[in-house]
Amino acid sequence: MEEDAHKIVIIGAGPAGLTAAFQLSKRGETATVLEADSVVGGISRTAEREGWRFDIGGHRFFTKVPEVEAVWHEILPDEDFLLRPRLSRIYYDGKFFDYPLKAMNALRGLGIKEAVLCVLSYAWARVRPPKDQTSFEGWTSARFGRRLYHTFFKTYTEKLWGVPATEIKADWAAQRIKNLSLFNAIVNAMLPRRNQKDITSLIEEFQYPKYGPGMMWERATELVMAAGTKVIFNAAVTRIEHEHGRAVGVVTESGGVETRYEATEVISSMPISALLKAMSPAPPPEVIAAANGLSYRDFLTIALVVPESAGFPDNWIYIHAPDVKMGRIQNFGSWSPYLVKEGRTCLGLEYFVFEGDELWCAPDAELVELGKRELAKLGLVKPEVVEAGYVVRMPKAYPMYNDTYKANVDTMRAWLAANAPNVYPVGRNGMHKYNNQDHSMYTAMLSVENIYGADHDIWNVNVEAEYHEEKKAAPAAS
Ligand SMILES: Cc1cc2nc3c(=O)[nH]c(=O)nc-3n(C[C@H](O)[C@H](O)[C@H](O)COP(=O)(O)OP(=O)(O)OC[C@H]3O[C@@H](n4cnc5c(N)ncnc54)[C@H](O)[C@@H]3O)c2cc1C
């Protein structure tokens, strides 16, 4: 091998890691992908149990980045994509409400008395806006009034993050809800339909690989392996060795056995906190403290097989009822007929948890019973029609935006830039960014270009430009 040949090690076979490998293969370059798990796709995998395929939360494919769109279609042929209609509603107080919220639909559904109270509460928020708008509660109440905030935002958001809405940073609301307010929503509802187009386009339809997002990443793996890249499973990275201001080796552990991979560059989609803690020699205590300061929300899904007739037309339903723990229900039959079979559908009940808490540790059989009980409580599905149930746990599904996350990420970035600039953090937990697949992919694509001399600032990838459809449409998380 030539002296100056690249030995690129990629950590993680999720969307970011596999996109990096795919882009490298187009340059005729190979890499070694190290994946801790035994499957590809990361959070965007499609789990398979006894022939049922389901996502970790349904994954829509939409993007404003043409380069990302192009890669999707280079990996999968057009016939493997479905164009799916989107329907998602909020279930609250035994009623369904349109989601994204439509002012007239919401006010009508609440009944005349409650609607009037909501509008008055909104008017009050205009006159006397909450003083502290740095929290999710203050920010959202200012735009919708406290009453609508309590009905449509507080419960779900607190379930999602596991902390009071007063402790959730407005950053998150600003990213997901953007410029939506009750006033904008009412004005929008009154506009002729054609003027609403740019707000709702792309959101009402989305692309979806017919066997789920995992299909994309399974195919990407085949393509990069065919081009000579190694994808090594059950290979959790535990150490990144650095010397003289560069990373030089990556060490994995599998069944107590360590393996070392020499590296000229490291593209890392493992959580940035774990990356810094794996650097050897170790960074100074303040950098380790910054790594320890990042927090995550974990996720589990209970997939229940039910007759198709027990499903619903929605792709997913937000559950805003405080008396159940469930946050959202997916109906995978509505995502793709190829995910389900034999006149049945598969419902994915989503629970936001902390790794190690009561739900996370509960045995699968107990969780399946919990899922059945909660569906019955909501009046959505009778327990006796449930034919089978499976549980999938996903640690670190959501990077949390706590008070100190920005400062902590900056500390880690600065240390990496000074001590191992050939380590390229990419992706969701890799950069601690609450993002979608396209953002993960794009940061990986730009990092590959940086390896070959470009100078993209991947920390400043312009999310606004890429996601402007979401501006008015996404009060809750994906
Ligand atoms: C409920 C939910 C719904 C979502 N819906 C959508 C949607 O509709 N559309 C959309 O585009 N996006 C959606 N997303 C976001 C999407 O899942 C992520 O943006 C995407 O998977 C991030 O890709 P990634 O490669 O950056 O990280 P990940 O998917 O987290 O992949 C990282 C990989 O690194 C591996 N890894 C971690 N640590 C190590 C280690 N030490 N050594 C080796 N390997 C390691 C992991 O096992 C994993 O395979 C959703 C996310 C959630 C939680």
Side-chain angles (χ1 to χ4, degrees):
M1 196 171 272
E2 290 164 42
E3 270 299 288
D4 62 349
H6 289 279
K7 291 194 178 77
I8 302 175
V9 172
I10 298 173
I11 307 176
L18 289 171
T19 300
F22 185 69
Q23 293 301 94
L24 287 168
S25 72
K26 291 197 289 187
R27 290 175 172 263
E29 187 71 72
T30 59
T32 302
V33 181
L34 303 172
E35 169 53 54
D37 217 324
S38 55
V39 293
V40 295
I43 307 170
S44 303
R45 74 188 54 189
T46 303
E48 185 160 358
R49 300 285 186 278
E50 299 183 310
W52 303 97
R53 285 178 71 91
F54 49 91
D55 302 357
I56 310 302
H59 274 57
R60 283 180 292 157
F61 281 62
F62 62 88
T63 185
K64 286 300 289 175
V65 187
E67 294 91 331
V68 168
E69 175 89 36
V71 168
W72 286 342
H73 291 273
E74 286 165 26
I75 296 173
L76 281 185
D78 287 352
E79 61 268 25
D80 284 339
F81 278 100
L82 307 175
L83 192 60
R84 299 303 293 171
R86 170 203 171 135
L87 175 65
S88 55
R89 287 176 294 172
I90 291 174
Y91 191 67
Y92 172 76
D93 203 17
K95 280 179 255 159
F96 288 99
F97 294 85
D98 286 348
Y99 174 84
L101 275 186
K102 296 199 180 93
M104 293 311 170
N105 169 276
L107 297 176
R108 213 178 296 124
L110 289 170
I112 187 81
K113 184 171 156 227
E114 184 60 26
V116 169
L117 290 172
C118 284
V119 171
L120 286 176
S121 150
Y122 171 68
W124 183 246
R126 302 305 297 165
V127 180
R128 285 272 166 86
K131 281 201 187 77
D132 178 11
Q133 293 186 31
T134 62
S135 74
F136 178 82
E137 175 162 310
W139 195 96
T140 314
S141 304
R143 282 152 187 85
F144 292 88
R146 277 194 78 77
R147 230 175 154 94
L148 270 181
Y149 156 74
H150 271 273
T151 308
F152 290 121
F153 296 94
K154 181 179 173 3
T155 307
Y156 180 81
T157 306
E158 291 187 341
K159 280 185 192 178
L160 176 59
W161 294 113
V163 289
T166 44
E167 287 173 27
I168 299 165
K169 299 299 290 171
D171 286 25
W172 181 71
Q175 183 179 330
R176 307 303 297 188
I177 305 176
K178 309 270 170 73
N179 293 331
L180 187 67
S181 70
L182 185 61
F183 178 76
N184 289 346
I186 290 176
V187 169
N188 182 46
M190 289 171 173
L191 286 176
R193 225 177 142 67
R194 74 192 135 79
N195 292 344
Q196 297 179 23
K197 199 164 174 275
D198 51 341
I199 294 168
T200 51
S201 65
L202 282 192
I203 293 192
E204 292 182 345
E205 277 185 336
F206 56 87
Q207 299 181 84
Y208 190 73
K210 61 185 187 182
Y211 290 105
M215 181 188 194
M216 169 78 64
W217 305 115
E218 289 153 22
R219 180 77 187 127
T221 306
E222 287 167 13
L223 292 173
V224 299
M225 286 177 79
T229 279
K230 291 196 185 77
V231 181
I232 302 173
F233 292 98
N234 303 308
V237 169
T238 50
R239 204 159 70 237
I240 293 109
E241 297 170 351
H242 63 102
E243 59 187 31
H244 311 304
R246 293 190 71 74
V248 291
V250 178
V251 178
T252 61
E253 204 205 281
S254 182
V257 179
E258 284 198 342
T259 310
R260 183 181 186 278
Y261 300 85
E262 207 178 311
T264 54
E265 287 86 12
V266 179
I267 299 178
S268 167
S269 67
M270 71 190 277
I272 190 167
S273 54
L275 173 78
L276 269 289
K277 288 196 267 181
M279 296 303 296
S280 173
E286 65 276 14
V287 178
I288 297 297
N292 287 331
L294 291 188
S295 52
Y296 303 86
R297 187 71 162 150
D298 311 295
F299 176 96
L300 68 82
T301 190
I302 304 171
L304 299 180
V305 176
V306 299
E308 204 180 329
S309 55
F312 35 80
D314 307 62
N315 308 98
W316 70 88
I317 297 175
Y318 293 102
I319 305 298
H320 280 242
D323 52 340
V324 293
K325 293 185 171 137
M326 182 190 308
R328 213 164 53 162
I329 312 175
Q330 305 283 339
N331 178 9
F332 290 109
S334 300
W335 285 81
S336 165
Y338 296 92
L339 299 180
V340 297
K341 53 182 182 167
E342 298 153 5
R344 291 160 176 91
T345 188
C346 185
L347 303 180
L349 283 43
E350 301 183 358
Y351 292 82
F352 309 112
V353 293
F354 288 115
E355 204 175 338
D357 73 7
E358 205 186 326
L359 278 187
W360 181 268
C361 297
D364 289 6
E366 246 176 56
L367 290 172
V368 168
E369 287 310 311
L370 170 75
K372 288 194 210 172
R373 263 199 322 275
E374 292 206 330
L375 279 181
K377 192 167 188 176
L378 294 168
L380 289 175
V381 179
K382 293 197 178 80
E384 58 273 21
V385 306
V386 176
E387 295 176 25
Y390 314 96
V391 177
V392 177
R393 294 172 181 77
M394 178 54 67
K396 297 191 170 50
Y398 296 95
M400 284 180 81
Y401 285 1
N402 62 17
D403 271 357
T404 50
Y405 89 94
K406 263 193 190 141
N408 288 333
V409 170
D410 286 350
T411 302
M412 289 184 276
R413 276 177 61 186
W415 187 87
L416 273 182
N419 295 279
N422 59 336
V423 175
Y424 297 81
V426 293
R428 182 164 166 117
N429 288 328
M431 299 171 73
H432 206 80
K433 290 237 172 176
Y434 183 103
N435 72 1
N436 275 322
Q437 288 174 100
D438 59 342
H439 192 267
S440 269
M441 292 174 65
Y442 200 42
T443 54
M445 292 161 74
L446 296 180
S447 295
V448 166
E449 291 182 13
N450 283 350
I451 289 178
Y452 291 92
D455 189 26
H456 302 291
D457 179 0
I458 58 144
W459 295 93
N460 266 331
V461 166
N462 189 345
V463 183
E464 286 303 315
E466 293 152 24
Y467 286 97
H468 72 125
E469 272 83 4
E470 279 213 332
K471 240 181 213 166
K472 320 246 167 136
S478 50

